[in-house]
Amino acid sequence: MEEKLSLEESILQEMQDAFGIAHEVYAQCFAPDNHALTSISVTEQEVDFLRRHFSQDAVLELLESFTDEDPEDVVMVPVEKPYLILRGVALRDEDGKLLGKWVLMGVDENLIPDDTFIANDIRRTTEDSLDKAIILLSVLSDNYVKERRALLSLSDAVEKTKESGENLEEQLKKNEVMTGILKVMESDIPFSDMAEDILKRTGEYLSLSSCFLLMDDPEEKKTASITYEWRRSEDDSLKDILKNYKKDKIPFYNGKPYTVSFDAKMPEKFTDCFAELKIRAGIFLPIEDEKERQIYICGTDRGNRRFKTEEITFLNDVKRIIQTAIVKRETKESLTGSYNTLDAVLENVGCGIAVIDRKHHKFLYTNEKYHEINGTSDNEKDTELRRLLLSQKPEDVNRREYQETLSDCWYEITFEQVTWVDNSDVMFCTLYDITDNKIYQRRIERQANTDDLTDLPNKKKFEKDLAREIRTVIRQNEKSALFYIDLDDFKQLNDGRGRAAGDDLLKEVSKELIKVAGYHIQVYRTGGDEFAMIIPSSETGKTDTIRKKLTDVFKTPWEIGEEKFYCTMSMGIVSIPDDGRDYETLMQKVDYALRLAKRSGKNHPEEYKEVASTAKAYRPETEALLREAVQRGCGEFEVYFRPIVESRPGLFSEDKCIGAEASVRWKNDKLGELMPADFLPLAEYLSLGEPIGKKVVREACRKCRYWNDFGHPEYIIHINPDILRLLGDNATEIVKKAIEDSGLIQRNLMLEVLNGYSVCDMNAMQKIYWRPEETPLSSSDFEERYVLG
């Protein structure tokens, strides 16, 4: 049962004395039954003046004017002298019940007749000043009652928690959530961010489908909308449905609280509304608002939910917090009520609090939690934490972390300049225990930034470190380098010997890369068989040495289990910041250099500056034009045939044409005519090579068939390695189909292959044109420049 709200006379006395002195009036607080709760702290001369000028009957008439039924909060009673002022101010609870009555007595200095003597120590004011003071007193009284009510509710909750040990774990979770909500409320973030954070914490804690604030639309008074919402999933969102929704269709939107479980017998209006919202249960609580808007905090569930008393209480607590946040933002000049009430609140917020007067270099207030952290109850005793707080300057950062040396605990300290209860400017410090967060954060950061297989930093860590390295070298006007490594033929190992063998190889490669890198160079695993090294400016003098060591490492076989396996690498190299001043540019160029390294043969490094001159077409506008040309069907790419002539010895012998080699050029209206070396690397990099290569192969086969049919059956068409490489993994199917479509005799097609081409790919291509009855080729045959079908 809720405890009856009572007033603390000592707090009222402090409020009264401070208010009277500040506004030059005399004040006294009375209970509903008209007995005095406070006394007037004045001199005997002032007491004599008040008794002579303000009769007991007039004061009693003023007190009798206030009742529970009469909503009047400010009452004026006329007195004999026109320069005397007698006012009354009601002190009510949230339901309008009368809790107390303020009596204010004053002298209007503007109306004192010239022939009337009033002693100088009698307080003087004006009627206009007193009216403004009454407004402030009303705000102070309302806030005091709300804080008193909140404190009573908090005390009641604490008492219930002490009585029940069965729900300790749930209570701890609830306290953690509530502490987080209070921290958000104490922060200076915008109300929108605060509301969304509080709704998220509430919805997750209560396991709701959605949790939202429903509010009157500002312009259309007959409709309401969801202003802030948390939902468990996108399907649980009600924001689109409850947008400019007619209020007369919302059964709970009438200023009253409702709790509806799934098995409740609901009126038809509720049943229709719940069906439209696709919910089965909900809690709907009205929030009081000084702007006379109607606001509801709502928690809904789409399952068979029967709400517990503790859940309803929790949402009510959240409602009061949101209500307090709204009041604080709408009434910036409202005060907390009194120092003692503030102390009660600060002692129960779950964090350390310290208020520092920087001008006089002393602590004005510290709560018990602060003393636990500081390790002493003496604010004057010199400690590490005390020195830290006193040395903080207003212009310094307003948030920092502090590690307590002896206990190895971590705290987050926030600093904020605020106005204290005595109107002085002070530093308000809060200390939150973040030890568990730190431990968890370290574990999560390690997991997030480390590759599970090799224990190397992963791609996410690489991106962060590379971005930091770029900023560092630019700021310090230095140079560093990036090595990007890709293993050759790694897929063949995985396919041929299994994934476990591939994993073992990656581990062995990682170990060797770490040995080559040494202490100052970080190695990363950025992909399946890709690695990276960031060479800092302090180590750039060793770049050539490191490059040679890496090449040497991959010249020897790798022992995987009881077998040995030759695996080489290709490497792209860029200079920072010469080749790029941002992550995207550097990665684009190092990837380009890596691809050209693969084209040049195995175990080969390429620096971007060395290959950039061959990449004339590598410009953003060229990339766009190349994409457009491919999308339009490759009509801009023309196939050229270079004759192949057989030279015959002898004085009268003539050279004989035996065929041609197919090549391609790109004719573009803006770029002119480009040779293969100017655009094929870019096409391969952009994964646009297959359509171009397919066109060349098909046109070459068709042309050779034409020559064979019309007088030159001996002509052979050659496809060079650049074209063949464009076809990628689909080379087998594309070449085979081109032969079938054209009707070309297989032996009249010659595929040119460089030494660095994969033997696995050779075996695939051999199936295209090698006749089964012939002797299969051995791997040594592939070392020749040409392979004949």
Side-chain angles (χ1 to χ4, degrees):
M1 189 142 182
E2 185 176 357
E3 185 180 342
K4 182 179 179 182
L5 183 64
S6 60
L7 305 178
E8 283 194 50
E9 296 179 5
S10 60
I11 294 178
L12 293 173
Q13 185 70 52
E14 290 184 14
M15 288 175 61
Q16 170 190 301
D17 293 345
F19 179 80
I21 294 172
H23 298 281
E24 293 294 337
V25 296
Y26 299 97
Q28 189 171 13
C29 190
F30 292 84
D33 61 0
N34 297 337
H35 79 269
L37 295 176
T38 61
S39 59
I40 303 179
S41 303
V42 292
T43 63
E44 291 183 7
Q45 184 177 2
E46 290 175 303
V47 171
D48 180 63
F49 175 83
L50 294 175
R51 286 176 178 172
R52 285 188 293 106
H53 289 80
F54 296 92
S55 67
Q56 187 174 357
D57 291 340
V59 174
L60 185 58
E61 179 185 351
L62 181 68
L63 293 175
E64 293 293 343
S65 301
F66 294 105
T67 64
D68 286 336
E69 293 76 20
D70 189 351
E72 191 68 36
D73 287 336
V74 180
V75 176
M76 177 180 69
V77 172
V79 289
E80 296 180 358
K81 306 294 183 182
Y83 56 84
L84 298 178
I85 306 172
L86 183 59
R87 298 280 194 278
V89 180
L91 205 163
R92 300 180 187 275
D93 66 7
E94 297 171 345
D95 299 323
K97 185 175 179 60
L98 192 64
L99 300 177
K101 313 168 186 178
W102 290 104
V103 174
L104 305 178
M105 295 167 283
V107 177
D108 190 338
E109 61 183 359
N110 293 335
L111 300 179
I112 300 174
D114 295 337
D115 57 352
T116 300
F117 172 76
I118 295 178
N120 290 333
D121 55 356
I122 299 300
R123 298 174 184 174
R124 291 173 171 80
T125 184
T126 65
E127 188 168 5
D128 183 57
S129 297
L130 183 58
D131 288 340
K132 293 180 180 178
I134 287 174
I135 295 174
L136 177 59
L137 182 59
S138 296
V139 173
L140 285 170
S141 300
D142 289 345
N143 278 279
Y144 168 66
V145 170
K146 290 176 183 177
E147 294 290 346
R148 185 69 179 154
R149 174 72 69 184
L151 184 60
L152 186 61
S153 298
L154 185 60
S155 300
D156 186 48
V158 171
E159 192 62 34
K160 289 180 180 178
T161 302
K162 291 181 180 178
E163 294 173 359
S164 175
E166 298 177 357
N167 299 322
L168 179 59
E169 184 176 351
E170 181 62 24
Q171 189 63 42
L172 288 174
K173 182 180 178 181
K174 175 183 175 182
N175 289 344
E176 181 181 353
V177 175
M178 189 58 70
T179 300
I181 292 175
L182 286 171
K183 285 176 65 176
V184 174
M185 190 192 74
E186 293 164 10
S187 65
D188 198 30
I189 62 176
F191 179 78
S192 57
D193 296 341
M194 177 186 299
E196 289 175 356
D197 190 293
I198 292 176
L199 292 174
K200 179 178 182 294
R201 294 172 186 267
T202 303
E204 290 178 345
Y205 173 71
L206 295 179
S207 299
L208 298 168
S209 296
S210 64
C211 189
F212 54 89
L213 290 184
L214 186 64
M215 185 183 302
D216 288 349
D217 288 320
E219 297 180 359
E220 177 56 56
K221 299 298 183 182
K222 294 183 180 181
T223 62
S225 298
I226 291 178
T227 53
Y228 307 104
E229 179 194 48
W230 169 88
R231 66 274 186 191
R232 184 166 49 199
S233 68
E234 288 299 328
D235 293 337
D236 294 318
S237 176
L238 301 176
K239 198 166 188 178
D240 291 338
I241 300 176
L242 290 176
K243 182 178 181 181
N244 304 125
Y245 199 86
K246 290 185 178 180
K247 293 193 286 187
D248 57 5
K249 291 178 60 179
I250 308 175
F252 57 83
Y253 204 74
N254 54 15
K256 298 178 181 179
Y258 289 89
T259 299
V260 184
S261 295
F262 82 99
D263 54 356
K265 293 183 178 180
M266 296 182 288
E268 183 178 354
K269 199 171 183 180
F270 272 83
T271 304
D272 294 342
C273 180
F274 275 37
E276 184 174 358
L277 300 180
K278 297 180 182 179
I279 60 175
R280 302 197 65 190
I283 303 176
F284 313 94
L285 303 176
I287 296 177
E288 293 184 13
D289 180 54
E290 293 182 358
K291 291 186 177 180
E292 298 182 354
R293 296 174 299 181
Q294 190 150 240
I295 305 175
Y296 264 78
I297 179 172
C298 310
T300 64
D301 200 298
R302 296 191 169 183
N304 295 341
R305 183 68 171 269
R306 186 180 290 112
F307 292 105
K308 301 176 183 177
T309 303
E310 311 88 78
E311 295 171 334
I312 301 172
T313 301
F314 180 87
L315 195 58
N316 267 289
D317 291 340
V318 174
K319 180 202 79 169
R320 282 190 284 270
I321 290 173
I322 293 179
Q323 184 171 308
T324 301
I326 292 174
V327 170
K328 283 185 177 180
R329 278 154 177 78
E330 292 178 345
T331 314
K332 292 183 179 180
E333 297 180 0
S334 64
L335 301 177
T336 58
S338 71
Y339 181 86
N340 287 337
T341 303
L342 179 63
D343 178 57
V345 173
L346 296 181
E347 283 294 341
N348 290 277
V349 294
C351 64
I353 300 290
V355 180
I356 302 173
D357 181 356
R358 288 192 45 77
K359 182 177 180 181
H360 299 95
H361 208 65
K362 66 177 182 179
F363 286 75
L364 298 178
Y365 172 85
T366 50
N367 68 354
E368 187 61 33
K369 185 67 177 178
Y370 165 81
H371 292 299
E372 292 178 13
I373 299 171
N374 192 38
T376 175
S377 59
D378 185 1
N379 280 336
E380 301 302 320
K381 186 174 181 180
D382 186 43
T383 63
E384 180 183 2
L385 178 58
R386 184 177 185 275
R387 290 194 299 272
L388 173 65
L389 297 183
L390 290 176
S391 63
Q392 187 71 21
K393 298 178 181 179
E395 62 270 17
D396 291 345
V397 292
N398 60 1
R399 188 182 300 271
R400 65 176 300 170
E401 293 179 353
Y402 164 73
Q403 184 180 18
E404 209 284 317
T405 308
L406 296 178
S407 64
D408 197 29
C409 292
W410 282 87
Y411 298 92
E412 182 182 75
I413 309 178
T414 61
F415 304 88
E416 187 173 356
Q417 289 287 115
V418 299
T419 301
W420 193 230
V421 291
D422 59 356
N423 290 324
S424 61
D425 292 332
V426 299
M427 183 83 78
F428 189 86
C429 310
T430 57
L431 296 90
Y432 294 97
D433 189 336
I434 58 171
T435 305
D436 292 341
N437 291 347
K438 273 289 183 182
I439 296 173
Y440 181 73
Q441 179 183 346
R442 289 171 181 169
R443 184 168 67 250
I444 292 301
E445 285 181 354
R446 174 166 176 78
Q447 292 174 352
N449 294 315
T450 304
D451 175 57
D452 294 335
L453 178 65
T454 63
D455 208 31
L456 289 175
N458 60 15
K459 185 175 182 179
K460 180 179 179 182
K461 185 69 165 62
F462 166 70
E463 291 175 356
K464 292 180 181 177
D465 290 354
L466 181 57
R468 184 173 61 249
E469 180 67 19
I470 294 170
R471 292 194 300 270
T472 300
V473 296
I474 291 176
R475 184 176 61 252
Q476 298 178 357
N477 195 25
E478 296 175 341
K479 295 183 185 299
S480 58
L482 169 63
F483 287 10
Y484 209 79
I485 301 167
D486 182 83
L487 303 186
D488 299 321
D489 301 331
F490 180 73
K491 184 177 183 298
Q492 281 68 53
L493 174 65
N494 260 351
D495 294 343
R497 305 193 185 185
R499 195 176 191 85
D503 289 347
D504 290 341
L505 175 62
L506 292 174
K507 293 177 185 177
E508 292 301 316
V509 169
S510 300
K511 294 176 184 177
E512 292 300 320
L513 293 181
I514 291 173
K515 290 180 184 177
V516 172
Y519 182 76
H520 298 289
I521 299 173
Q522 183 62 64
V523 182
Y524 307 84
R525 184 189 177 199
T526 57
D529 60 346
E530 295 179 350
F531 298 84
M533 285 186 183
I534 297 178
I535 316 297
S537 57
S538 59
E539 303 295 310
T540 50
K542 304 176 183 177
T543 301
D544 292 338
T545 303
I546 296 170
R547 178 165 52 181
K548 185 178 184 307
K549 286 183 178 180
L550 288 173
T551 305
D552 292 341
V553 164
F554 285 89
K555 286 180 179 178
T556 57
W558 302 89
E559 293 188 8
I560 307 301
E562 297 180 356
E563 300 182 43
K564 292 185 178 181
F565 179 77
Y566 281 90
C567 176
T568 57
M569 63 83 193
S570 298
M571 181 167 61
I573 304 173
V574 291
S575 175
I576 310 172
D578 292 348
D579 293 331
R581 302 172 75 87
D582 59 77
Y583 175 85
E584 289 75 14
T585 302
L586 284 172
M587 291 307 299
Q588 193 178 51
K589 291 183 177 180
V590 79
D591 190 44
Y592 187 67
L594 175 63
R595 287 177 179 269
L596 290 185
K598 280 189 172 293
R599 289 169 55 87
S600 301
K602 298 181 180 180
N603 215 27
H604 182 71
E606 283 281 5
E607 290 190 40
Y608 179 77
K609 66 181 180 181
E610 295 175 355
V611 301
S613 59
T614 67
K616 299 175 184 177
Y618 192 70
R619 301 188 302 271
E621 61 271 24
T622 307
E623 178 179 327
L625 292 172
L626 184 60
R627 290 184 186 276
E628 293 174 2
V630 172
Q631 289 172 358
R632 287 195 295 265
C634 298
E636 296 180 13
F637 302 99
E638 296 185 0
V639 181
Y640 280 71
F641 298 95
R642 184 171 58 188
I644 298 176
V645 178
E646 181 181 54
S647 179
R648 298 184 178 185
L651 182 62
F652 301 102
S653 298
E654 295 182 358
D655 293 343
K656 180 181 180 182
C657 179
I658 59 173
E661 181 184 50
S663 184
V664 63
R665 296 181 188 177
W666 178 20
K667 289 187 177 181
N668 182 268
D669 293 340
K670 294 183 178 180
L671 301 176
E673 183 174 314
L674 278 73
M675 300 299 289
D678 293 333
F679 68 90
L680 288 186
L682 180 59
E684 184 181 1
Y685 172 71
L686 297 174
S687 299
L688 300 174
E690 184 176 314
I692 301 173
K694 184 184 295 185
K695 176 176 181 177
V696 174
V697 172
R698 293 179 63 180
E699 182 68 19
C701 291
R702 186 190 63 79
K703 194 70 174 178
C704 187
R705 168 67 189 275
Y706 174 82
W707 290 331
N708 293 160
D709 290 347
F710 290 91
H712 301 283
E714 77 282 4
Y715 275 14
I716 297 175
I717 193 71
H718 291 236
I719 306 294
N720 70 33
D722 290 339
I723 302 301
L724 189 61
R725 186 177 295 276
L726 294 177
L727 302 179
D729 295 336
N730 297 324
T732 302
E733 291 77 10
I734 293 172
V735 174
K736 186 174 182 180
K737 192 169 189 313
I739 294 173
E740 292 173 352
D741 291 346
S742 64
L744 180 67
I745 300 174
Q746 289 187 18
R747 65 173 176 269
N748 286 353
L749 174 67
M750 177 179 291
L751 303 180
E752 301 182 20
V753 183
L754 293 176
N755 292 341
Y757 210 85
S758 169
V759 172
C760 180
D761 294 335
M762 289 288 193
N763 294 332
M765 284 185 291
Q766 181 177 325
K767 295 176 184 178
I768 301 173
Y769 51 83
W770 201 263
R771 293 188 297 275
E773 64 273 13
E774 297 185 12
T775 305
L777 295 179
S778 65
S779 59
S780 61
D781 294 322
F782 292 113
E783 297 301 319
E784 299 298 329
R785 176 169 172 78
Y786 301 104
V787 177
L788 303 180

